[in-house]
Amino acid sequence: MMTTLNTGRKGEKMLLMGNEAIARGALEAGVNVVTGYPGTPSSEIIDRLSKADRERNLYVEWSVNEKVATEVAAAGSFAGLRSMAVMKMMGVNVASDFLMHLVMTGTRGGLVLVSAEDPGAISSLTEGESRYYSKFLEFPLLEPGGFQEAKDMTKWAFELSEKINNIVMLRTVTRISHGSGNVVLGELPETSPRAHFEFNGTILDEQTGPILTVPGPFAVNLHARQQNKLQAAANLFEDCPFNTYEGPENPELLIITSSVCHLYCIEAVELVDAPDRVGILKLGTTWPLPAKFLKKHMQRTERILIIEEVLPFLEENIQVLACQLGAEFAAKKFHGKGDGTMDKVGELNPTLVAGALSRVLDLAMETVSVDYSENINKQAVDNAPDRMLTFCPGCPHRASFWSIKRVLELNNQQGFVCGDIGCYGMGMLPCGFETVKTVHSMGSGTGLASGFGKLGQFGMDQKVLSVCGDSTFFHTVMPALANAIHHRADITLVVLDNSGTAMTGFQPHPGLTIKASGTELPALDIPSICRAMGAKVQVVNPFDVENAEKVLLKTIEDPDGVKVVVMRQICALSPEKKSKKQFEIQVDENVCIGEECGCNRLCTRVFKCPGLVWDGEKKTSKIDAVLCVGCGVCHSICPSGAIQRKEIA
């Protein structure tokens, strides 16, 4: 039998992605309830655990949003089960409202919040990080510095949570989450817990009483109890095996670091050849700080360099601690983001850390010459293919934005579109005909549109549209839509329904008939929900361009309150759609007018589907048979009728 993440035995070694290591650590901890909302780089954790929900007796859920995910996981904890909520860093913002109350009441079964963060904004709109929530809301923060530690620390996080009866945050970053390394497996426990919510004890008894937040003196008492828990965690952190030191007894320079930056620091010290001069103190417990452990190592040096991503969270807290420890520590020389040694933006890497080391220690470091770097960059610009971000061949969003753009032009009232996060966020780029004019957090497009739609009394007569995906509709658009309908804002919401959370891997949402493990659930119908809320609703197929434009134009020119157009077409890359062509597409070279007046390469220059290419020799467009998925939209937009489609039986 092949060893899998869900069956591997103690002592076996597996090559695991960081997210898989976290999932394995949760299994070794005996986790029972796992929830979350998909978001890169976090999604694989729940994906892997969903495959173990039967053989390990787990309940695994893709929740409607991160706040609900945390609430469902907390319910598991309140009933005595080990539970975990998983999200990316921006999702912690969504969950924070409930978190602010949860940390006051405390937990029962171990409860771990995994925040997968994205320094460098590789797949995110911001570099925002959630470490500050641990200090602001007063709960422990753990940061694994490698793949083995990602597994081991996850298991320990559940134990820590149960020792202090509170939630624990495990923070990972992209290079841990999506990197891979060898991991020695631990034992998978055989557990058969029985869930039971006890509520018959006194209100102050965390294990047997009701779980309440109450205003006044009681809230103050809860806050004091919460701070005592944080101090208990700080005491445990003093002897934590995830806090380590390597280097000389009395280093000339002490690096204090955490997370994946620990690996960068090890390599950087080798790059500058300074192992006898530099010590590396790696913190796995980054809030609250282990004061005695830090004091022990900081007193052995006069210079300290703090390496972390992205903001100076560690740096600021360590400097505060140094002041509290007395004049001897406050006088030490600190280097990092505060003095400009390190940037406050972007990802780090060994070369950047080595550069900082060479500056701090005044070391000669062999670097790439400026001329060489400039030449390499020039070669990349001149010789690499020009590939802009674009929608996939056959993406329904391209067709949707084509129709929206044309309809706004036909309306001629300087109308605009408010958007948010998702594949359709590329509607702000040329591939979306630069249609989207605002992009913020999930659901904010409709919230903004709701505001714009009430500005008629101040003379605003522009048509206002918002766009959202089907998953985002359930995540945060429904409250914004309710607000717009209640206040009779003059807006049109366009739901770009491509039947899944496409951007992060087609995870299910309440509009689909499956749950995380693939078993069937009842689906909620978006048009019916919108009608029940009081909106006028139309459903169109964006690939039927003529009808879509007709419906959109009539809808946006209706002045009576909120209108909803659901543009429904399954994503071209979804498992259900792959390899299922509706049309065979070809270009009649004798009809194609190419660069002549009346076309000017509309299909390849403006519409820009990757399945359409320009033949420079023949001066006509042609179909790339490998990329074309046969959606047939290009037939509808061709002004000369040269692009022909034949329905496949």
Side-chain angles (χ1 to χ4, degrees), residues 416-418 443-456 460 462-467 477-494 534-537 552 554-565:
F416 59 95
V417 178
C418 300
S444 64
T446 304
L448 283 170
S450 177
F452 281 125
K454 293 303 298 180
L455 300 183
M460 181 178 236
Q462 296 163 273
K463 296 298 181 183
V464 183
L465 287 77
S466 68
V467 292
V477 167
M478 289 175 66
L481 179 61
N483 187 76
I485 293 170
H486 178 65
H487 292 98
R488 300 195 66 181
D490 183 12
I491 69 168
T492 300
L493 165 64
V494 180
K536 300 177 182 178
V537 183
L552 273 172
K554 183 178 180 181
T555 299
I556 69 169
E557 291 183 343
D558 180 348
D560 187 20
V562 176
K563 291 79 61 180
V564 176
V565 176

Side-chain angles (χ1 to χ4, degrees), residues 355-411:
L357 279 173
S358 66
R359 292 190 294 274
V360 171
L361 294 175
D362 194 24
L363 296 171
M365 179 182 172
E366 186 175 340
T367 59
V368 176
S369 70
V370 175
D371 290 343
Y372 181 82
S373 295
E374 290 179 350
N375 184 51
I376 289 294
N377 291 334
K378 185 176 185 302
Q379 292 295 324
V381 171
D382 292 346
N383 298 324
D386 184 14
R387 293 177 178 172
M388 297 180 64
L389 284 172
T390 188
F391 294 119
C392 303
C395 177
H397 296 337
R398 178 183 287 104
S400 296
F401 282 122
W402 177 268
S403 294
I404 292 170
K405 178 79 168 178
R406 281 174 52 84
V407 163
L408 288 175
E409 290 172 348
L410 287 170
N411 175 260

Side-chain angles (χ1 to χ4, degrees), residues 37 234 270 383 447 492 624:
Y37 185 83
E270 294 179 358
N383 298 324
T492 300
D624 186 325

Side-chain angles (χ1 to χ4, degrees), residues 92 127 243 328 390 428 438 485 568:
V92 180
E127 285 191 305
N243 297 328
E328 173 193 350
T390 188
M428 63 183 170
T438 72
I485 293 170
R568 180 173 286 165

Side-chain angles (χ1 to χ4, degrees), residues 491-503:
I491 69 168
T492 300
L493 165 64
V494 180
V495 182
L496 305 173
D497 184 352
N498 61 3
S499 301
T501 315
M503 189 176 187

Side-chain angles (χ1 to χ4, degrees), residues 233-456:
N235 295 337
L236 290 168
F237 289 173
E238 295 293 356
D239 299 314
C240 175
F242 301 116
N243 297 328
T244 61
Y245 174 77
E246 52 192 307
E249 179 81 13
N250 296 294
E252 180 181 341
L253 177 71
L254 175 66
I255 294 177
I256 303 179
T257 188
S258 65
S259 189
V260 72
C261 294
H262 176 229
L263 303 180
Y264 301 156
C265 291
I266 293 172
E267 188 171 340
V269 170
E270 294 179 358
L271 285 172
V272 299
D273 192 23
D276 297 330
R277 300 175 64 184
V278 179
I280 302 175
L281 192 155
K282 191 270 296 179
L283 290 179
T285 64
T286 48
W287 187 259
L289 292 174
K292 294 177 183 178
F293 179 78
L294 281 165
K295 178 181 178 180
K296 170 186 172 183
H297 291 283
M298 288 196 298
Q299 67 187 5
R300 297 176 178 175
T301 186
E302 295 303 314
R303 305 178 75 186
I304 298 167
L305 171 62
I306 300 174
I307 303 294
E308 61 184 315
E309 293 171 331
V310 173
L311 297 174
F313 176 80
L314 261 183
E315 183 175 334
E316 292 169 352
N317 292 326
I318 288 172
Q319 287 182 299
V320 169
L321 174 63
C323 291
Q324 293 172 344
L325 291 174
E328 173 193 350
F329 291 89
K332 293 183 184 294
K333 179 63 176 175
F334 285 91
H335 303 278
K337 297 174 185 291
D339 69 347
T341 301
M342 305 298 300
D343 287 337
K344 294 181 181 179
V345 298
E347 269 195 307
L348 295 181
N349 58 49
T351 302
L352 290 174
V353 177
L357 279 173
S358 66
R359 292 190 294 274
V360 171
L361 294 175
D362 194 24
L363 296 171
M365 179 182 172
E366 186 175 340
T367 59
V368 176
S369 70
V370 175
D371 290 343
Y372 181 82
S373 295
E374 290 179 350
N375 184 51
I376 289 294
N377 291 334
K378 185 176 185 302
Q379 292 295 324
V381 171
D382 292 346
N383 298 324
D386 184 14
R387 293 177 178 172
M388 297 180 64
L389 284 172
T390 188
F391 294 119
C392 303
C395 177
H397 296 337
R398 178 183 287 104
S400 296
F401 282 122
W402 177 268
S403 294
I404 292 170
K405 178 79 168 178
R406 281 174 52 84
V407 163
L408 288 175
E409 290 172 348
L410 287 170
N411 175 260
N412 197 30
Q413 286 184 255
Q414 293 187 303
F416 59 95
V417 178
C418 300
D420 55 52
I421 302 169
C423 295
Y424 57 91
M426 291 197 297
M428 63 183 170
L429 301 176
C431 63
F433 320 110
E434 299 176 345
T435 308
V436 174
K437 302 304 181 185
T438 72
V439 175
H440 295 86
S441 60
M442 293 183 71
S444 64
T446 304
L448 283 170
S450 177
F452 281 125
K454 293 303 298 180
L455 300 183

